[in-house]
Amino acid sequence: SAVGRGPEVPFRSEAYGISAIARGKELRLTLSALDPAAGPPAQDLVFRFGMSGSFRLCPAAELPRHAHLRFLTRESPPRALCFVDPRRFGSWRLGDAWQPERGPCVVSEYQAFRENVLKNLEDRAFDKPICEVLLNQKYFNGIGNYLRAEILYRLKIPPFEKARTVLEALKEQEQERRKKDPSLTLSKKVKLRKENPDLLELCHTVPMEVITAEKQLLDPEHPDNYSAFKSWLQCYLVPGMSSLRDRSGRTIWFQGEAGPMAPKGQRPRKTPRKKSPELKAEPEAPSPEVTPRASKQRRRAAANPPRLEQKEVKEEQEGQADRARKGRARGRRTVTAAPASPEEPQSVRRSCRTSAGRGRGAAPAV
């Protein structure tokens, strides 16, 4: 497309096929002419998906927005295989080479992935919290933000625990397991791992859960499928979970303690729980809870009011009678009392009270 950021693809052919292979977070497409003798040489493209990249097959007349690269079919009406990337964090490059700094794939190269992590634990990269190291594609090629949250949640590992502390324990467990029973068959080893998977095993099996059910879990165009993905999630964006930003600015969701390496100055935020639908009604004022002792005190106070209160009531009654006698004596005469001091403008009085309030707190009532 005109707004795509990727390079031009020099491949041109009337009839060609597309094959693909994935490795971690990268995907390699190979374009090859159906007639190799008459067509151009094969062309490889390596894609990175960023946060929102995906491939979509749709009618050529109804291209989705942000379809930055399109491959047209020969059928009638034609369809288009589109690389769609709304946020434009994804990219493609020409050639068949994987990025050299990426390690073995957690899905397709599990054994090499496991060995690559355990033999390099002295690397300074493992001085960081485990949640940050899980995004390091040199060692965890294929693990992203939602996967790291799900993996750590299932094992109840605090996200800001030191990575080396977590992974060295796995190395020791593996060595002890070999010493105890070196004659374990492969099937028994697989069974034990399924029953008690460690962090590196979950880095393989959790992505496999999504890949196995990707048609049901990862199609945002179908709300039912996306709701299936949301119900599969146990931690990421789940109501009631806590979240913090790591040092790279990515948000990690977790439950329980954050761990000793949590960023200072941040307080975990809770994902709000969904409120159950209820009929909106005017809330009633809560009636105060009255204990038997308080009830007895109220009855006694009503029967025997305090002496001070009785005195005030009596004085008020006498004052009313006195005012009535003076009113009869004056008849219809009106008396205007002179002010004790010249009348001050309203603004002056207001400013005086304001300044008094600023100096000594609230001004006394007049």
Side-chain angles (χ1 to χ4, degrees):
S1 71
V3 296
R5 295 181 179 177
E8 289 288 333
V9 181
F11 184 84
R12 295 291 182 273
S13 177
E14 288 298 318
Y16 62 95
I18 303 177
S19 59
I21 182 171
R23 183 176 184 267
K25 285 193 172 186
E26 294 184 297
L27 179 75
R28 184 168 66 209
L29 296 189
T30 301
L31 315 179
S32 51
L34 296 185
D35 184 1
Q43 174 69 61
D44 291 302
L45 305 171
V46 177
F47 287 81
R48 293 177 62 189
F49 293 90
M51 293 180 69
S52 60
S54 66
F55 276 97
R56 198 175 306 169
L57 187 63
C58 59
E62 301 174 10
L63 292 177
R65 294 183 63 191
H66 311 290
H68 299 307
L69 193 61
R70 306 108 182 224
F71 304 94
L72 300 177
T73 67
R74 290 180 57 88
E75 60 193 336
S76 183
R79 289 186 293 170
L81 177 66
C82 307
F83 176 64
V84 182
D85 186 17
R87 297 189 181 184
R88 301 187 192 183
F89 292 159
S91 62
W92 67 86
R93 64 184 184 277
L94 305 178
D96 62 349
W98 306 111
Q99 279 188 317
E101 66 269 20
R102 289 181 178 267
C105 176
V106 296
V107 172
S108 59
E109 303 167 296
Y110 168 68
Q111 201 55 45
F113 148 71
R114 187 180 183 92
E115 291 171 3
N116 184 46
V117 172
L118 294 179
K119 76 180 181 183
N120 288 295
L121 290 181
E122 296 303 318
D123 193 329
R124 291 177 61 185
F126 295 97
D127 291 336
K128 296 181 179 180
I130 186 62
C131 67
E132 295 179 14
V133 175
L134 284 173
L135 296 182
N136 186 338
Q137 301 301 295
K138 181 179 178 180
Y139 295 108
F140 293 87
N141 185 13
I143 300 300
N145 202 21
Y146 82 91
L147 286 172
R148 68 169 176 172
E150 296 300 312
I151 291 164
L152 295 175
Y153 170 77
R154 294 190 187 190
L155 293 172
K156 308 302 179 192
I157 296 175
F160 291 94
E161 185 65 65
K162 191 174 183 179
R164 187 178 291 108
T165 304
V166 174
L167 295 167
E168 277 183 343
L170 303 187
K171 195 173 182 178
E172 293 171 3
Q173 289 173 8
E174 196 166 281
Q175 291 172 352
E176 288 178 5
R177 194 183 298 171
R178 287 176 182 174
K179 287 179 183 178
K180 285 182 179 178
D181 197 348
S183 62
L184 278 176
T185 62
L186 181 61
S187 60
K188 287 183 179 179
K189 287 180 181 178
V190 171
K191 184 180 178 182
L192 284 173
R193 286 179 178 177
K194 283 184 177 180
E195 291 173 353
N196 300 294
D198 60 32
L199 184 139
L200 298 179
E201 286 159 354
L202 285 186
C203 286
H204 171 72
T205 57
V206 174
M208 283 299 298
E209 289 179 17
V210 183
I211 292 169
T212 304
E214 63 181 339
K215 289 183 179 179
Q216 288 75 32
L217 295 180
L218 293 181
D219 190 351
E221 292 297 305
H222 297 82
D224 293 341
N225 293 353
Y226 188 64
S227 64
F229 174 66
K230 288 175 70 176
S231 64
W232 174 84
L233 293 170
Q234 299 179 31
C235 179
Y236 181 80
L237 289 176
V238 172
M241 296 294 163
S242 301
S243 65
L244 280 173
R245 286 190 180 275
D246 62 22
R247 288 170 180 81
S248 61
R250 303 291 298 275
T251 302
I252 175 70
W253 276 263
F254 61 96
Q255 186 180 53
E257 296 295 325
M261 299 182 74
K264 294 180 180 178
Q266 281 194 60
R267 298 182 67 182
R269 293 186 301 172
K270 283 258 184 181
T271 307
R273 295 183 181 276
K274 291 182 179 179
K275 295 181 180 179
S276 55
E278 295 177 357
L279 292 175
K280 290 186 178 180
E282 197 68 29
E284 295 181 0
S287 56
E289 186 177 352
V290 180
T291 61
R293 182 178 179 181
S295 178
K296 185 183 290 185
Q297 289 174 348
R298 289 182 184 178
R299 288 196 300 269
R300 189 181 300 157
N304 303 308
R307 292 182 180 178
L308 181 60
E309 187 178 340
Q310 291 176 347
K311 184 179 179 182
E312 289 175 353
V313 170
K314 188 175 180 181
E315 289 176 354
E316 177 65 22
Q317 290 173 350
E318 290 176 353
Q320 287 178 358
D322 187 47
R323 284 194 294 272
R325 285 195 300 272
K326 287 180 181 178
R328 284 195 297 270
R330 283 197 302 265
R332 297 194 176 194
R333 283 183 305 156
T334 338
V335 178
T336 307
S341 61
E343 183 70 12
E344 294 176 349
Q346 185 72 16
S347 59
V348 174
R349 291 203 305 274
R350 185 181 297 114
S351 64
C352 289
R353 281 197 292 270
T354 306
S355 59
R358 286 177 184 167
R360 298 187 302 275
V366 179

PDB file of all heavy atoms in Angstrom, residues 101 103 123 125-126 128 131-143:
ATOM      1  N   GLU A 101      20.178 -12.032  16.597  1.00  0.00           N
ATOM      2  CA  GLU A 101      20.178 -11.932  18.067  1.00  0.00           C
ATOM      3  C   GLU A 101      19.049 -12.728  18.713  1.00  0.00           C
ATOM      4  O   GLU A 101      18.927 -12.725  19.937  1.00  0.00           O
ATOM      5  CB  GLU A 101      20.100 -10.467  18.495  1.00  0.00           C
ATOM      6  CG  GLU A 101      18.808  -9.768  18.133  1.00  0.00           C
ATOM      7  CD  GLU A 101      18.846  -9.087  16.778  1.00  0.00           C
ATOM      8  OE1 GLU A 101      19.712  -9.453  15.960  1.00  0.00           O
ATOM      9  OE2 GLU A 101      18.001  -8.191  16.549  1.00  0.00           O
ATOM     10  N   GLY A 103      17.199 -16.149  19.913  1.00  0.00           N
ATOM     11  CA  GLY A 103      17.580 -17.508  20.273  1.00  0.00           C
ATOM     12  C   GLY A 103      16.656 -18.544  19.658  1.00  0.00           C
ATOM     13  O   GLY A 103      15.771 -18.223  18.853  1.00  0.00           O
ATOM     14  N   ASP A 123      25.063 -14.885  32.366  1.00  0.00           N
ATOM     15  CA  ASP A 123      24.899 -13.654  31.590  1.00  0.00           C
ATOM     16  C   ASP A 123      24.249 -12.571  32.463  1.00  0.00           C
ATOM     17  O   ASP A 123      23.358 -12.854  33.271  1.00  0.00           O
ATOM     18  CB  ASP A 123      24.026 -13.932  30.368  1.00  0.00           C
ATOM     19  CG  ASP A 123      24.054 -12.791  29.351  1.00  0.00           C
ATOM     20  OD1 ASP A 123      24.210 -11.630  29.770  1.00  0.00           O
ATOM     21  OD2 ASP A 123      23.909 -13.062  28.152  1.00  0.00           O
ATOM     22  N   ALA A 125      22.169 -10.530  31.688  1.00  0.00           N
ATOM     23  CA  ALA A 125      20.736 -10.378  31.387  1.00  0.00           C
ATOM     24  C   ALA A 125      19.869 -10.984  32.481  1.00  0.00           C
ATOM     25  O   ALA A 125      18.746 -10.522  32.727  1.00  0.00           O
ATOM     26  CB  ALA A 125      20.415 -11.042  30.050  1.00  0.00           C
ATOM     27  N   PHE A 126      20.387 -12.006  33.183  1.00  0.00           N
ATOM     28  CA  PHE A 126      19.601 -12.698  34.205  1.00  0.00           C
ATOM     29  C   PHE A 126      19.693 -12.023  35.573  1.00  0.00           C
ATOM     30  O   PHE A 126      19.181 -12.549  36.553  1.00  0.00           O
ATOM     31  CB  PHE A 126      20.036 -14.166  34.286  1.00  0.00           C
ATOM     32  CG  PHE A 126      19.731 -14.938  33.040  1.00  0.00           C
ATOM     33  CD1 PHE A 126      20.704 -15.132  32.074  1.00  0.00           C
ATOM     34  CD2 PHE A 126      18.462 -15.444  32.802  1.00  0.00           C
ATOM     35  CE1 PHE A 126      20.429 -15.822  30.912  1.00  0.00           C
ATOM     36  CE2 PHE A 126      18.173 -16.138  31.638  1.00  0.00           C
ATOM     37  CZ  PHE A 126      19.160 -16.326  30.680  1.00  0.00           C
ATOM     38  N   LYS A 128      18.231  -9.248  35.925  1.00  0.00           N
ATOM     39  CA  LYS A 128      16.971  -8.504  35.916  1.00  0.00           C
ATOM     40  C   LYS A 128      15.837  -9.356  36.489  1.00  0.00           C
ATOM     41  O   LYS A 128      15.985 -10.569  36.670  1.00  0.00           O
ATOM     42  CB  LYS A 128      16.629  -8.080  34.488  1.00  0.00           C
ATOM     43  CG  LYS A 128      17.629  -7.120  33.879  1.00  0.00           C
ATOM     44  CD  LYS A 128      17.206  -6.737  32.468  1.00  0.00           C
ATOM     45  CE  LYS A 128      18.175  -5.758  31.845  1.00  0.00           C
ATOM     46  NZ  LYS A 128      17.767  -5.375  30.469  1.00  0.00           N
ATOM     47  N   CYS A 131      10.197 -11.271  35.029  1.00  0.00           N
ATOM     48  CA  CYS A 131       9.192 -10.807  34.074  1.00  0.00           C
ATOM     49  C   CYS A 131       9.830 -10.035  32.919  1.00  0.00           C
ATOM     50  O   CYS A 131       9.327 -10.077  31.786  1.00  0.00           O
ATOM     51  CB  CYS A 131       8.137  -9.938  34.770  1.00  0.00           C
ATOM     52  SG  CYS A 131       8.748  -8.350  35.396  1.00  0.00           S
ATOM     53  N   GLU A 132      10.948  -9.353  33.168  1.00  0.00           N
ATOM     54  CA  GLU A 132      11.635  -8.622  32.106  1.00  0.00           C
ATOM     55  C   GLU A 132      12.471  -9.561  31.247  1.00  0.00           C
ATOM     56  O   GLU A 132      12.556  -9.398  30.022  1.00  0.00           O
ATOM     57  CB  GLU A 132      12.500  -7.517  32.708  1.00  0.00           C
ATOM     58  CG  GLU A 132      11.688  -6.431  33.416  1.00  0.00           C
ATOM     59  CD  GLU A 132      12.554  -5.351  34.021  1.00  0.00           C
ATOM     60  OE1 GLU A 132      13.766  -5.283  33.687  1.00  0.00           O
ATOM     61  OE2 GLU A 132      12.031  -4.557  34.830  1.00  0.00           O
ATOM     62  N   VAL A 133      13.088 -10.559  31.855  1.00  0.00           N
ATOM     63  CA  VAL A 133      13.916 -11.507  31.099  1.00  0.00           C
ATOM     64  C   VAL A 133      13.057 -12.355  30.160  1.00  0.00           C
ATOM     65  O   VAL A 133      13.500 -12.722  29.066  1.00  0.00           O
ATOM     66  CB  VAL A 133      14.717 -12.398  32.076  1.00  0.00           C
ATOM     67  CG1 VAL A 133      15.491 -13.481  31.336  1.00  0.00           C
ATOM     68  CG2 VAL A 133      15.678 -11.547  32.883  1.00  0.00           C
ATOM     69  N   LEU A 134      11.820 -12.629  30.542  1.00  0.00           N
ATOM     70  CA  LEU A 134      10.942 -13.423  29.681  1.00  0.00           C
ATOM     71  C   LEU A 134      10.637 -12.728  28.348  1.00  0.00           C
ATOM     72  O   LEU A 134      10.191 -13.373  27.400  1.00  0.00           O
ATOM     73  CB  LEU A 134       9.634 -13.756  30.406  1.00  0.00           C
ATOM     74  CG  LEU A 134       9.713 -14.855  31.454  1.00  0.00           C
ATOM     75  CD1 LEU A 134       8.398 -14.966  32.218  1.00  0.00           C
ATOM     76  CD2 LEU A 134      10.064 -16.189  30.828  1.00  0.00           C
ATOM     77  N   LEU A 135      10.860 -11.421  28.260  1.00  0.00           N
ATOM     78  CA  LEU A 135      10.666 -10.698  27.001  1.00  0.00           C
ATOM     79  C   LEU A 135      11.964 -10.565  26.205  1.00  0.00           C
ATOM     80  O   LEU A 135      11.956 -10.002  25.111  1.00  0.00           O
ATOM     81  CB  LEU A 135      10.088  -9.304  27.271  1.00  0.00           C
ATOM     82  CG  LEU A 135       8.694  -9.248  27.896  1.00  0.00           C
ATOM     83  CD1 LEU A 135       8.236  -7.802  28.050  1.00  0.00           C
ATOM     84  CD2 LEU A 135       7.684 -10.036  27.078  1.00  0.00           C
ATOM     85  N   ASN A 136      13.058 -11.081  26.747  1.00  0.00           N
ATOM     86  CA  ASN A 136      14.349 -11.029  26.050  1.00  0.00           C
ATOM     87  C   ASN A 136      14.370 -12.124  24.981  1.00  0.00           C
ATOM     88  O   ASN A 136      14.481 -13.311  25.282  1.00  0.00           O
ATOM     89  CB  ASN A 136      15.483 -11.233  27.065  1.00  0.00           C
ATOM     90  CG  ASN A 136      16.857 -11.043  26.446  1.00  0.00           C
ATOM     91  OD1 ASN A 136      17.037 -11.158  25.233  1.00  0.00           O
ATOM     92  ND2 ASN A 136      17.838 -10.747  27.279  1.00  0.00           N
ATOM     93  N   GLN A 137      14.281 -11.709  23.704  1.00  0.00           N
ATOM     94  CA  GLN A 137      14.151 -12.684  22.609  1.00  0.00           C
ATOM     95  C   GLN A 137      15.456 -13.426  22.325  1.00  0.00           C
ATOM     96  O   GLN A 137      15.455 -14.405  21.579  1.00  0.00           O
ATOM     97  CB  GLN A 137      13.664 -11.971  21.348  1.00  0.00           C
ATOM     98  CG  GLN A 137      12.326 -11.286  21.511  1.00  0.00           C
ATOM     99  CD  GLN A 137      11.216 -12.252  21.914  1.00  0.00           C
ATOM    100  OE1 GLN A 137      10.850 -13.140  21.163  1.00  0.00           O
ATOM    101  NE2 GLN A 137      10.673 -12.069  23.119  1.00  0.00           N
ATOM    102  N   LYS A 138      16.548 -13.007  22.932  1.00  0.00           N
ATOM    103  CA  LYS A 138      17.794 -13.763  22.794  1.00  0.00           C
ATOM    104  C   LYS A 138      17.681 -15.109  23.499  1.00  0.00           C
ATOM    105  O   LYS A 138      18.311 -16.094  23.090  1.00  0.00           O
ATOM    106  CB  LYS A 138      18.946 -12.952  23.396  1.00  0.00           C
ATOM    107  CG  LYS A 138      20.304 -13.622  23.289  1.00  0.00           C
ATOM    108  CD  LYS A 138      21.387 -12.740  23.879  1.00  0.00           C
ATOM    109  CE  LYS A 138      22.758 -13.432  23.807  1.00  0.00           C
ATOM    110  NZ  LYS A 138      23.835 -12.581  24.386  1.00  0.00           N
ATOM    111  N   TYR A 139      16.864 -15.155  24.546  1.00  0.00           N
ATOM    112  CA  TYR A 139      16.705 -16.399  25.307  1.00  0.00           C
ATOM    113  C   TYR A 139      15.280 -16.949  25.255  1.00  0.00           C
ATOM    114  O   TYR A 139      15.089 -18.166  25.361  1.00  0.00           O
ATOM    115  CB  TYR A 139      17.115 -16.166  26.762  1.00  0.00           C
ATOM    116  CG  TYR A 139      18.576 -15.841  26.911  1.00  0.00           C
ATOM    117  CD1 TYR A 139      18.998 -14.555  27.226  1.00  0.00           C
ATOM    118  CD2 TYR A 139      19.548 -16.814  26.713  1.00  0.00           C
ATOM    119  CE1 TYR A 139      20.351 -14.246  27.344  1.00  0.00           C
ATOM    120  CE2 TYR A 139      20.904 -16.521  26.827  1.00  0.00           C
ATOM    121  CZ  TYR A 139      21.296 -15.234  27.141  1.00  0.00           C
ATOM    122  OH  TYR A 139      22.627 -14.946  27.237  1.00  0.00           O
ATOM    123  N   PHE A 140      14.278 -16.081  25.112  1.00  0.00           N
ATOM    124  CA  PHE A 140      12.876 -16.524  25.144  1.00  0.00           C
ATOM    125  C   PHE A 140      12.180 -16.078  23.856  1.00  0.00           C
ATOM    126  O   PHE A 140      11.239 -15.291  23.879  1.00  0.00           O
ATOM    127  CB  PHE A 140      12.170 -15.968  26.380  1.00  0.00           C
ATOM    128  CG  PHE A 140      12.694 -16.526  27.677  1.00  0.00           C
ATOM    129  CD1 PHE A 140      13.778 -15.942  28.321  1.00  0.00           C
ATOM    130  CD2 PHE A 140      12.123 -17.653  28.243  1.00  0.00           C
ATOM    131  CE1 PHE A 140      14.274 -16.459  29.507  1.00  0.00           C
ATOM    132  CE2 PHE A 140      12.612 -18.183  29.427  1.00  0.00           C
ATOM    133  CZ  PHE A 140      13.685 -17.583  30.055  1.00  0.00           C
ATOM    134  N   ASN A 141      12.667 -16.587  22.734  1.00  0.00           N
ATOM    135  CA  ASN A 141      12.169 -16.186  21.425  1.00  0.00           C
ATOM    136  C   ASN A 141      10.758 -16.735  21.199  1.00  0.00           C
ATOM    137  O   ASN A 141      10.565 -17.933  20.989  1.00  0.00           O
ATOM    138  CB  ASN A 141      13.114 -16.704  20.335  1.00  0.00           C
ATOM    139  CG  ASN A 141      12.723 -16.216  18.952  1.00  0.00           C
ATOM    140  OD1 ASN A 141      11.906 -15.310  18.806  1.00  0.00           O
ATOM    141  ND2 ASN A 141      13.299 -16.831  17.935  1.00  0.00           N
ATOM    142  N   GLY A 142       9.782 -15.830  21.275  1.00  0.00           N
ATOM    143  CA  GLY A 142       8.389 -16.231  21.086  1.00  0.00           C
ATOM    144  C   GLY A 142       7.491 -15.849  22.246  1.00  0.00           C
ATOM    145  O   GLY A 142       6.271 -15.833  22.116  1.00  0.00           O
ATOM    146  N   ILE A 143       8.095 -15.511  23.394  1.00  0.00           N
ATOM    147  CA  ILE A 143       7.304 -15.134  24.570  1.00  0.00           C
ATOM    148  C   ILE A 143       7.007 -13.642  24.507  1.00  0.00           C
ATOM    149  O   ILE A 143       7.907 -12.822  24.321  1.00  0.00           O
ATOM    150  CB  ILE A 143       8.042 -15.481  25.880  1.00  0.00           C
ATOM    151  CG1 ILE A 143       8.316 -16.978  25.947  1.00  0.00           C
ATOM    152  CG2 ILE A 143       7.212 -15.039  27.087  1.00  0.00           C
ATOM    153  CD1 ILE A 143       7.082 -17.849  25.917  1.00  0.00           C
TER     154      ILE A 143
END
